[in-house]
Amino acid sequence: MTDFWAGKRVAITGAAGFVGAHLCRALVDRGASVLGLDLVTDSPCWRVHGLAGLAELTLADLFSADNLRYHLAPFLRSPSAEIIFHLAGVSHIHEAQGSAVRAFEVNTRAAWVLLDVCGQMDVKAVVLASSNHVYGSYCSASDEWRKTQATDVYGTSKAAQDLVARCFGAMGVPVATLRHVNAYGPADPHMSHLVTGAILSVLRGEAPVIRSDGTPVKAYLHVGDVVDAYLLLAERLAASDLPTGQPWNCAPRAPISALALVDKVIQAAGLALVPEITGEDLSQSGYVEMLDASQLRALGWAPRWSLKEGLVDTLNWYRAHGGMKWVE
């Protein structure tokens, strides 16, 4: 941990969400002054991290350049390196597919409005949340992973956002996009997420349910490791130590199948349970995700949590917080 963040003014869109609140807490703990911009002024994630009184969470219209300037200009007035993290977005694949126009509005249009404002305000670094889904339905260990081949709404909207970032980067805005894989960890309010759902099941003594056939192979990172990647990219951008407009992959070295992951959750709980495989969603049967994060590792990033350690940490957190009682 460095003292880079001490005294820095940092704005975060989507600050009330799962990853956003973790990022806020990490920055506050490092001595930064944090402004959260969201559609709400409170959330279970915000409360459980104890952020009230430590950081400001305010309503903002991300589609309005005037509204963004209204919030950001007074806050980012310090001569120190001001940073913006843009995490706001439609993050659920099925939600995006059900409302394509809204997904492109939130995931793409909001990015170009924000980047245009950042360019006018001489912000020192902007890091946008992207996704492994820009690569499409299958990621391989070959050079195919370098091509953005998404055809679904969510992945395409994020790929479009990354193109917008590349464009503004070419115009001199110090921006990077972080294409990270599935984040899991404490204080995830989404029970539909595989890790969170499996943990809640085993805490009730029930067999976790796998809606797929168990074969999809994906990568998972503890949310603390995702936060580390965001912080690292921002530090390097602010130091003019990175090419601007570039995407960065963030992933562990090895993915895991849905069935094997749920088995590890059961093992972490020390129970003798057999997952229930319903096979009701076969849309990703045979999916294999192999995301190359070697460029980010070359910058000095590496996961601090092994999958086993991360699952135990997450399981213990939910056990201590009564499952999902912290959301109430």
Side-chain angles (χ1 to χ4, degrees):
M1 184 183 301
T2 70
D3 60 359
F4 171 88
W5 296 101
K8 296 294 188 298
R9 291 177 177 268
V10 184
I12 305 174
T13 72
F18 169 44
V19 179
H22 271 278
L23 180 57
C24 283
R25 184 71 232 194
L27 286 162
V28 166
D29 290 344
R30 287 162 171 77
S33 177
V34 179
L35 171 66
L37 304 176
D38 214 307
L39 295 176
V40 297
T41 57
D42 188 28
S43 75
C45 296
W46 192 262
R47 290 193 300 272
V48 81
H49 285 286
L51 288 165
L54 299 179
E56 181 182 355
L57 184 61
T58 189
L59 294 173
D61 181 358
L62 297 183
F63 303 137
S64 168
D66 289 340
N67 188 256
L68 282 173
R69 278 190 290 267
Y70 172 82
H71 290 296
L72 294 174
F75 180 73
L76 300 177
R77 64 185 183 275
S78 167
S80 60
E82 290 79 29
I83 313 293
I84 295 180
F85 294 97
H86 179 48
L87 275 63
V90 175
S91 59
H92 291 277
I93 296 173
H94 294 298
E95 180 186 355
Q97 204 70 22
S99 182
V101 171
R102 180 174 180 272
F104 277 100
E105 286 275 322
V106 177
N107 289 351
T108 310
R109 179 186 168 198
W112 80 58
V113 173
L114 176 65
L115 289 172
D116 188 47
V117 169
C118 290
Q120 297 168 20
M121 296 178 61
D122 194 31
V123 172
K124 301 302 185 294
V126 191
V127 182
L128 309 183
S130 187
S131 170
N132 58 299
H133 284 276
V134 302
Y135 296 116
S137 299
Y138 293 88
C139 301
S140 70
S142 71
D143 281 345
E144 289 299 305
W145 71 267
R146 299 181 185 276
K147 302 175 183 177
T148 54
Q149 302 182 94
T151 56
D152 67 290
V153 173
Y154 174 70
T156 303
S157 67
K158 283 297 187 179
Q161 173 205 254
D162 292 1
L163 284 174
V164 168
R166 187 174 72 183
C167 174
F168 276 90
M171 292 190 290
V173 177
V175 58
T177 61
L178 184 67
R179 295 171 173 172
H180 67 79
V181 295
N182 297 287
Y184 72 91
D188 179 1
H190 305 294
M191 293 182 286
S192 61
H193 289 174
L194 184 58
V195 172
T196 305
I199 284 175
L200 293 173
S201 293
V202 298
L203 288 178
R204 295 190 300 265
E206 301 172 357
V209 175
I210 299 175
R211 295 179 61 248
S212 70
D213 59 2
T215 64
V217 174
K218 300 183 179 182
Y220 296 82
L221 279 175
H222 189 281
V223 64
D225 293 324
V226 175
V227 166
D228 286 348
Y230 277 115
L231 296 178
L232 175 62
L233 287 182
E235 287 187 37
R236 299 292 288 270
L237 272 176
S240 300
D241 196 26
L242 285 183
T244 186
Q246 181 174 323
W248 298 83
N249 288 342
C250 183
R253 293 191 184 279
I256 188 171
S257 72
L259 178 57
L261 178 64
V262 171
D263 281 339
K264 285 187 177 295
V265 172
I266 294 171
Q267 292 167 18
L271 299 176
L273 296 171
V274 178
E276 178 185 350
I277 302 176
T278 66
E280 61 189 272
D281 182 1
L282 300 178
S283 61
Q284 293 185 323
S285 181
Y287 179 104
V288 177
E289 175 181 273
M290 293 288 290
L291 210 61
D292 185 344
S294 58
Q295 290 179 314
L296 189 63
R297 289 177 181 274
L299 294 183
W301 175 85
R304 291 182 288 116
W305 296 89
S306 69
L307 183 58
K308 179 180 179 179
E309 293 168 339
L311 292 176
V312 169
D313 172 69
T314 306
L315 178 70
N316 288 340
W317 189 92
Y318 279 97
R319 180 182 284 124
H321 287 78
M324 293 299 286
K325 289 183 178 179
W326 60 280
V327 173
E328 300 169 2

